Short mmCIF file of all heavy atoms in Angstrom, two decimals:
data_model
loop_
_atom_site.label_atom_id
_atom_site.label_comp_id
_atom_site.label_asym_id
_atom_site.label_seq_id
_atom_site.Cartn_x
_atom_site.Cartn_y
_atom_site.Cartn_z
N ARG A 1 -24.82 -44.67 -32.76
CA ARG A 1 -26.09 -44.14 -32.16
C ARG A 1 -25.92 -44.13 -30.63
O ARG A 1 -26.61 -43.40 -29.95
CB ARG A 1 -27.25 -44.98 -32.52
CG ARG A 1 -27.57 -44.89 -34.01
CD ARG A 1 -28.96 -45.48 -34.38
NE ARG A 1 -29.10 -45.42 -35.83
CZ ARG A 1 -29.70 -44.35 -36.46
NH1 ARG A 1 -30.03 -43.33 -35.74
NH2 ARG A 1 -29.87 -44.42 -37.72
N ALA A 2 -25.02 -44.92 -30.05
CA ALA A 2 -24.79 -44.90 -28.66
C ALA A 2 -23.90 -43.80 -28.19
O ALA A 2 -23.75 -43.52 -26.93
CB ALA A 2 -24.21 -46.30 -28.16
N LEU A 3 -23.28 -43.10 -29.17
CA LEU A 3 -22.35 -41.91 -28.81
C LEU A 3 -23.24 -40.77 -28.28
O LEU A 3 -24.44 -40.76 -28.51
CB LEU A 3 -21.61 -41.50 -30.04
CG LEU A 3 -20.56 -42.49 -30.58
CD1 LEU A 3 -19.97 -41.96 -31.88
CD2 LEU A 3 -19.42 -42.67 -29.52
N PRO A 4 -22.69 -39.83 -27.49
CA PRO A 4 -23.51 -38.78 -26.88
C PRO A 4 -24.47 -38.07 -27.85
O PRO A 4 -25.57 -37.81 -27.54
CB PRO A 4 -22.42 -37.76 -26.35
CG PRO A 4 -21.28 -38.70 -26.09
CD PRO A 4 -21.26 -39.72 -27.18
N ASP A 5 -23.98 -37.67 -29.04
CA ASP A 5 -24.81 -37.02 -30.02
C ASP A 5 -24.99 -37.88 -31.30
O ASP A 5 -25.33 -37.26 -32.28
CB ASP A 5 -24.18 -35.70 -30.40
CG ASP A 5 -24.10 -34.70 -29.18
OD1 ASP A 5 -25.15 -34.56 -28.55
OD2 ASP A 5 -23.08 -34.18 -28.99
N GLY A 6 -24.89 -39.20 -31.17
CA GLY A 6 -25.11 -40.02 -32.36
C GLY A 6 -24.21 -39.64 -33.52
O GLY A 6 -22.95 -39.52 -33.34
N TYR A 7 -24.78 -39.57 -34.70
CA TYR A 7 -24.03 -39.21 -35.91
C TYR A 7 -23.53 -37.78 -35.92
O TYR A 7 -22.60 -37.48 -36.65
CB TYR A 7 -24.94 -39.48 -37.15
CG TYR A 7 -25.04 -40.89 -37.57
CD1 TYR A 7 -26.01 -41.69 -36.92
CD2 TYR A 7 -24.28 -41.43 -38.49
CE1 TYR A 7 -26.15 -43.03 -37.30
CE2 TYR A 7 -24.31 -42.76 -38.96
CZ TYR A 7 -25.26 -43.59 -38.25
OH TYR A 7 -25.33 -44.84 -38.65
N ASP A 8 -24.00 -36.91 -34.97
CA ASP A 8 -23.62 -35.59 -34.90
C ASP A 8 -22.43 -35.42 -33.93
O ASP A 8 -22.00 -34.30 -33.56
CB ASP A 8 -24.73 -34.60 -34.48
CG ASP A 8 -25.74 -34.57 -35.62
OD1 ASP A 8 -25.37 -34.48 -36.82
OD2 ASP A 8 -26.95 -34.55 -35.33
N THR A 9 -22.04 -36.47 -33.27
CA THR A 9 -20.89 -36.44 -32.26
C THR A 9 -19.61 -35.92 -32.96
O THR A 9 -19.20 -36.47 -33.90
CB THR A 9 -20.71 -37.78 -31.61
OG1 THR A 9 -21.88 -38.19 -31.04
CG2 THR A 9 -19.57 -37.78 -30.62
N ILE A 10 -19.01 -34.89 -32.36
CA ILE A 10 -17.72 -34.42 -32.86
C ILE A 10 -16.60 -35.25 -32.34
O ILE A 10 -16.44 -35.44 -31.11
CB ILE A 10 -17.51 -32.92 -32.46
CG1 ILE A 10 -18.72 -32.09 -32.98
CG2 ILE A 10 -16.27 -32.44 -33.04
CD1 ILE A 10 -18.91 -32.09 -34.47
N LEU A 11 -15.81 -35.82 -33.26
CA LEU A 11 -14.64 -36.59 -32.84
C LEU A 11 -13.50 -35.77 -32.51
O LEU A 11 -13.28 -34.66 -32.96
CB LEU A 11 -14.38 -37.58 -34.02
CG LEU A 11 -15.48 -38.53 -34.51
CD1 LEU A 11 -14.93 -39.40 -35.66
CD2 LEU A 11 -15.91 -39.37 -33.39
N GLY A 12 -12.63 -36.38 -31.70
CA GLY A 12 -11.33 -35.73 -31.46
C GLY A 12 -10.43 -35.82 -32.62
O GLY A 12 -10.73 -36.49 -33.58
N GLU A 13 -9.33 -35.10 -32.60
CA GLU A 13 -8.40 -35.05 -33.68
C GLU A 13 -7.94 -36.54 -34.04
O GLU A 13 -7.59 -37.27 -33.19
CB GLU A 13 -7.16 -34.21 -33.28
CG GLU A 13 -6.18 -34.08 -34.47
CD GLU A 13 -5.01 -33.20 -34.11
OE1 GLU A 13 -4.96 -32.74 -32.97
OE2 GLU A 13 -4.17 -32.94 -34.93
N ARG A 14 -8.03 -36.86 -35.33
CA ARG A 14 -7.71 -38.17 -35.83
C ARG A 14 -8.53 -39.28 -35.20
O ARG A 14 -8.17 -40.42 -35.27
CB ARG A 14 -6.17 -38.51 -35.64
CG ARG A 14 -5.23 -37.47 -36.32
CD ARG A 14 -3.79 -37.86 -36.01
NE ARG A 14 -3.46 -39.21 -36.64
CZ ARG A 14 -3.13 -39.28 -37.93
NH1 ARG A 14 -3.02 -38.23 -38.75
NH2 ARG A 14 -2.80 -40.51 -38.37
N GLY A 15 -9.72 -38.89 -34.66
CA GLY A 15 -10.63 -39.89 -34.10
C GLY A 15 -10.14 -40.54 -32.86
O GLY A 15 -10.48 -41.69 -32.48
N GLU A 16 -9.23 -39.80 -32.02
CA GLU A 16 -8.64 -40.44 -30.86
C GLU A 16 -9.68 -40.76 -29.76
O GLU A 16 -9.38 -41.49 -28.86
CB GLU A 16 -7.56 -39.48 -30.28
CG GLU A 16 -6.32 -39.34 -31.20
CD GLU A 16 -5.56 -40.63 -31.31
OE1 GLU A 16 -5.65 -41.51 -30.39
OE2 GLU A 16 -4.90 -40.97 -32.32
N THR A 17 -10.85 -40.15 -29.86
CA THR A 17 -11.89 -40.47 -28.81
C THR A 17 -12.59 -41.85 -29.07
O THR A 17 -13.39 -42.23 -28.25
CB THR A 17 -12.92 -39.34 -28.83
OG1 THR A 17 -13.43 -39.16 -30.15
CG2 THR A 17 -12.34 -38.11 -28.33
N LEU A 18 -12.22 -42.46 -30.19
CA LEU A 18 -12.82 -43.80 -30.48
C LEU A 18 -11.78 -44.91 -30.32
O LEU A 18 -10.60 -44.63 -30.40
CB LEU A 18 -13.35 -43.82 -31.93
CG LEU A 18 -14.47 -42.78 -32.28
CD1 LEU A 18 -14.82 -42.97 -33.75
CD2 LEU A 18 -15.70 -42.97 -31.41
N SER A 19 -12.24 -46.08 -30.24
CA SER A 19 -11.34 -47.24 -30.20
C SER A 19 -10.79 -47.54 -31.58
O SER A 19 -11.42 -47.01 -32.60
CB SER A 19 -12.03 -48.48 -29.57
OG SER A 19 -12.95 -48.94 -30.51
N GLY A 20 -9.76 -48.39 -31.67
CA GLY A 20 -9.19 -48.73 -32.93
C GLY A 20 -10.24 -49.40 -33.83
O GLY A 20 -10.35 -49.09 -35.04
N GLY A 21 -11.05 -50.33 -33.28
CA GLY A 21 -12.01 -50.98 -34.10
C GLY A 21 -13.17 -50.02 -34.53
O GLY A 21 -13.59 -50.18 -35.62
N GLN A 22 -13.54 -49.15 -33.65
CA GLN A 22 -14.55 -48.18 -34.09
C GLN A 22 -14.05 -47.27 -35.17
O GLN A 22 -14.76 -46.94 -36.21
CB GLN A 22 -15.03 -47.34 -32.87
CG GLN A 22 -15.78 -48.09 -31.81
CD GLN A 22 -16.05 -47.28 -30.58
OE1 GLN A 22 -15.17 -46.51 -30.21
NE2 GLN A 22 -17.09 -47.59 -29.85
N ARG A 23 -12.79 -46.80 -35.09
CA ARG A 23 -12.26 -46.01 -36.20
C ARG A 23 -12.27 -46.79 -37.48
O ARG A 23 -12.59 -46.22 -38.55
CB ARG A 23 -10.86 -45.58 -35.85
CG ARG A 23 -10.76 -44.55 -34.72
CD ARG A 23 -9.38 -43.83 -34.70
NE ARG A 23 -8.34 -44.73 -34.42
CZ ARG A 23 -7.86 -45.07 -33.25
NH1 ARG A 23 -8.42 -44.57 -32.16
NH2 ARG A 23 -6.81 -45.92 -33.12
N GLN A 24 -11.90 -48.05 -37.43
CA GLN A 24 -11.91 -48.83 -38.68
C GLN A 24 -13.22 -49.04 -39.29
O GLN A 24 -13.38 -48.98 -40.47
CB GLN A 24 -11.16 -50.16 -38.47
CG GLN A 24 -9.68 -50.11 -38.32
CD GLN A 24 -8.99 -49.61 -39.55
OE1 GLN A 24 -8.94 -48.35 -39.82
NE2 GLN A 24 -8.48 -50.43 -40.33
N ARG A 25 -14.22 -49.20 -38.41
CA ARG A 25 -15.58 -49.42 -38.93
C ARG A 25 -16.11 -48.12 -39.61
O ARG A 25 -16.80 -48.24 -40.66
CB ARG A 25 -16.56 -49.73 -37.81
CG ARG A 25 -16.30 -51.11 -37.21
CD ARG A 25 -17.45 -51.55 -36.29
NE ARG A 25 -17.13 -52.78 -35.58
CZ ARG A 25 -17.22 -54.04 -36.07
NH1 ARG A 25 -17.67 -54.21 -37.32
NH2 ARG A 25 -16.97 -55.09 -35.44
N ILE A 26 -15.79 -46.96 -39.12
CA ILE A 26 -16.18 -45.71 -39.74
C ILE A 26 -15.38 -45.59 -41.05
O ILE A 26 -16.00 -45.11 -42.10
CB ILE A 26 -15.88 -44.57 -38.83
CG1 ILE A 26 -16.86 -44.58 -37.64
CG2 ILE A 26 -15.97 -43.24 -39.64
CD1 ILE A 26 -16.58 -43.44 -36.63
N ALA A 27 -14.12 -45.98 -41.07
CA ALA A 27 -13.34 -45.97 -42.37
C ALA A 27 -13.94 -46.98 -43.37
O ALA A 27 -14.02 -46.62 -44.55
CB ALA A 27 -11.91 -46.26 -42.03
N ILE A 28 -14.38 -48.05 -42.88
CA ILE A 28 -14.97 -49.04 -43.81
C ILE A 28 -16.33 -48.48 -44.32
O ILE A 28 -16.65 -48.58 -45.55
CB ILE A 28 -15.18 -50.36 -43.13
CG1 ILE A 28 -13.84 -50.99 -42.82
CG2 ILE A 28 -15.99 -51.34 -43.97
CD1 ILE A 28 -13.90 -52.25 -41.91
N ALA A 29 -17.11 -47.90 -43.47
CA ALA A 29 -18.38 -47.19 -43.90
C ALA A 29 -18.13 -46.17 -44.92
O ALA A 29 -18.89 -46.07 -45.85
CB ALA A 29 -19.13 -46.67 -42.65
N ARG A 30 -17.03 -45.48 -44.76
CA ARG A 30 -16.67 -44.42 -45.71
C ARG A 30 -16.35 -45.01 -47.04
O ARG A 30 -16.79 -44.47 -48.15
CB ARG A 30 -15.47 -43.53 -45.20
CG ARG A 30 -15.07 -42.43 -46.00
CD ARG A 30 -14.17 -41.43 -45.21
NE ARG A 30 -12.95 -42.18 -44.71
CZ ARG A 30 -12.10 -41.62 -43.83
NH1 ARG A 30 -12.38 -40.50 -43.27
NH2 ARG A 30 -11.04 -42.37 -43.50
N ALA A 31 -15.67 -46.16 -47.04
CA ALA A 31 -15.31 -46.73 -48.30
C ALA A 31 -16.52 -47.39 -48.92
O ALA A 31 -16.67 -47.34 -50.17
CB ALA A 31 -14.28 -47.87 -48.05
N ILE A 32 -17.44 -47.96 -48.14
CA ILE A 32 -18.67 -48.51 -48.74
C ILE A 32 -19.51 -47.44 -49.30
O ILE A 32 -20.08 -47.58 -50.41
CB ILE A 32 -19.43 -49.30 -47.61
CG1 ILE A 32 -18.64 -50.51 -47.17
CG2 ILE A 32 -20.84 -49.59 -48.10
CD1 ILE A 32 -19.31 -51.30 -46.02
N LEU A 33 -19.64 -46.35 -48.68
CA LEU A 33 -20.46 -45.19 -49.19
C LEU A 33 -19.86 -44.67 -50.51
O LEU A 33 -20.64 -44.27 -51.39
CB LEU A 33 -20.48 -44.05 -48.15
CG LEU A 33 -21.30 -42.73 -48.50
CD1 LEU A 33 -22.72 -43.14 -48.68
CD2 LEU A 33 -21.05 -41.69 -47.54
N ARG A 34 -18.51 -44.70 -50.64
CA ARG A 34 -17.94 -44.23 -51.87
C ARG A 34 -18.42 -45.04 -53.06
O ARG A 34 -18.53 -44.61 -54.20
CB ARG A 34 -16.46 -44.27 -51.74
CG ARG A 34 -15.72 -43.52 -52.98
CD ARG A 34 -14.27 -43.38 -52.61
NE ARG A 34 -13.51 -42.67 -53.65
CZ ARG A 34 -13.51 -41.33 -53.80
NH1 ARG A 34 -14.23 -40.63 -53.07
NH2 ARG A 34 -12.77 -40.86 -54.81
N ASP A 35 -18.70 -46.40 -52.79
CA ASP A 35 -19.25 -47.25 -53.86
C ASP A 35 -18.36 -47.23 -55.09
O ASP A 35 -18.92 -47.19 -56.23
CB ASP A 35 -20.69 -46.86 -54.14
CG ASP A 35 -21.41 -47.88 -54.98
OD1 ASP A 35 -21.00 -49.12 -54.86
OD2 ASP A 35 -22.25 -47.56 -55.77
N ALA A 36 -17.08 -47.27 -54.86
CA ALA A 36 -16.16 -47.35 -55.95
C ALA A 36 -15.90 -48.73 -56.53
O ALA A 36 -15.99 -49.73 -55.74
CB ALA A 36 -14.76 -46.71 -55.60
N PRO A 37 -15.64 -48.96 -57.80
CA PRO A 37 -15.46 -50.33 -58.26
C PRO A 37 -14.12 -50.93 -57.86
O PRO A 37 -14.02 -52.20 -57.97
CB PRO A 37 -15.42 -50.15 -59.81
CG PRO A 37 -15.02 -48.68 -60.01
CD PRO A 37 -15.58 -47.97 -58.78
#
């Protein structure tokens, strides 16, 4: 939400505009959303 456009912020290629920890949190959120067993 602190990003310029929040959830609508367009990331750079491979997420290079984010830090390593931020990229991993988005990846973890993606895995949580998948809700796979």
Side-chain angles (χ1 to χ4, degrees):
R1 294 188 184 277
L3 294 173
D5 295 312
Y7 281 83
D8 294 319
T9 300
I10 303 299
L11 302 181
E13 185 178 2
R14 300 180 65 86
E16 291 295 333
T17 51
L18 302 178
S19 69
Q22 290 173 330
R23 288 198 299 271
Q24 284 299 78
R25 289 190 190 281
I26 291 178
I28 293 169
R30 184 165 60 193
I32 291 174
L33 180 65
R34 190 166 181 80
D35 194 26

